[in-house]
Structures are given as C-alpha cells and as structure tokens.
Amino acid sequence: MSTVKSALLAVPLAAAALFAAAPADAATTSPLTCRGQGIDPAAQLHYGAETFVKAPASTVWKVQTGVAGWPAWQSAVTSAKRLDPGPLHPGSRFRWTTPAPATPSSPATTLVITSTVHQVQRDRCVRWSGPAIGEGLRIDRGVHVWTFTPVRGGVVVRTEESWTGAQIEADPATAVQYLAPGLDRWLADLKTAAEAAC
C-alpha cells in the first residue's frame, strides 16, 4: 500500500484524472533527488508517495522505464510512445496521454504529456519534466522524480512530483481533490506489474 510522504498540492503526471493531498508539514523524509536534482523547489504544487515492491530493483526499473508498455499495466495511461531509441538517458523524450475529468474550471479532456529525461541512474533513479496539454486544461511544467531503493525482500519505490502553471495554481482547491489517488494508482499498478513479472 502506498504511503503519502509529502504534499502541498499537484496534478500527477501519471493520472491527471485523479487528485488529493495532505499538508506539506506531513513530510517525514527529505525531498527526493536523482543525481542531486529534485522537483521544482519554487513550485507551489507538489506531492510525494512511496510503496514497497516485492521484486528486484532491476525488474521494477525495467517495468517503470519501459515507457511504450505503460498502457498495458497502467490503468490511467491510454497511450505512450518513446520519441528516441534505447535505454532512457538524459535528453530522452516520450509522449503519453491520460484522461482528465471535467472540473468546475475545465472540461473533460485527454492530457498529452511530452516528457524529457534530465537525470537517470540505472536501477536507482530517474527524473523527467514536461508540459501536459489538453482541451481547456494546461499544466505548464511537471517535474517528476522516482527512486528505487533495494531493501530486504524487494525495493522501496518513492516518487515526488511538482507542477507549475497559472491555470492549476488559480484553482488549487479543485486540483487537490484529485491528487493522491492518481500517483498512488501509478505506484499500485507498478507494484502489481513488477511483482507479476518475477
């Protein structure tokens, strides 16, 4: 089961269709980083969560970074395509889509997210960012960090994400209603897929 580790507010890249949050002072651990870089420290909107996966870090890594396969195991991802070949590396890009429900300030839409990898360390961490754009909804920049820490019997997967953009910052009450379930669903789906791959 996922555990909320830090939050103020956000719209997760994984599933903009689902949102919710806990107070920022709920954080009990330091911010996540990959090769020294984390989420946008100036962002008003951010969220973090973690889960334990009973699988080797290499298996979890393969499932998570196999971007083209995301729709097969992530319930909130409707399409995903790598825009360059080979393993993820700094500069790698991928485009994916996720549905977003209607809210009082935006219609139901499909968000198209173009992510660029900035930092990566195989089996240990990855950090990417990019905009999410749909009809009537725009998130200017999301920054997403994932870490994979081997522990006895498996790996602890932690993730943290920040969002910036005038539209979501203008309506934080709506955004916060959907935050946690989206990122928690990604973690739950990753856990299921990685454990099934063992």
Side-chain angles (χ1 to χ4, degrees):
M1 175 183 260
S2 300
T3 304
V4 173
K5 299 307 281 186
S6 67
L8 177 58
L9 177 65
V11 178
L13 281 173
L18 304 167
F19 314 82
D25 61 6
T28 58
T29 59
S30 59
L32 294 187
T33 62
C34 183
R35 296 195 175 270
Q37 299 296 311
I39 60 171
D40 182 346
Q44 297 177 36
L45 315 176
H46 57 87
Y47 174 74
E50 70 176 40
T51 194
F52 170 76
V53 182
K54 191 175 179 179
S58 60
T59 299
V60 180
W61 177 263
K62 182 177 179 181
V63 173
Q64 175 68 0
T65 62
V67 173
W70 284 1
W73 59 267
Q74 278 200 70
S75 56
V77 175
T78 53
S79 70
K81 178 182 179 181
R82 282 289 304 274
L83 302 178
D84 48 54
L88 290 184
H89 60 275
S92 290
R93 296 176 67 233
F94 50 96
R95 184 168 293 126
W96 51 291
T97 59
T98 187
T103 72
S105 59
S106 63
T109 189
T110 296
L111 288 174
V112 178
I113 303 157
T114 304
S115 299
T116 301
V117 174
H118 300 287
Q119 285 79 29
V120 63
Q121 184 177 359
R122 183 176 177 83
D123 296 341
R124 300 299 292 193
C125 67
V126 62
R127 177 179 174 269
W128 66 68
S129 71
I133 302 168
E135 183 179 337
L137 179 59
R138 178 183 178 94
I139 299 159
D140 294 341
R141 184 170 186 255
V143 180
H144 207 154
V145 180
W146 291 86
T147 63
F148 309 87
T149 305
V151 295
R152 179 175 290 188
V155 61
V156 173
V157 179
R158 293 181 66 207
T159 185
E160 199 165 49
E161 185 169 11
S162 64
W163 285 86
T164 55
Q167 186 176 10
I168 60 167
E169 291 165 3
D171 191 7
T174 296
V176 75
Q177 294 174 27
Y178 302 97
L179 170 60
L183 202 51
D184 287 347
R185 171 52 56 197
W186 189 335
L187 285 169
D189 288 349
L190 176 60
K191 176 180 174 69
T192 298
E195 290 178 353
C198 290

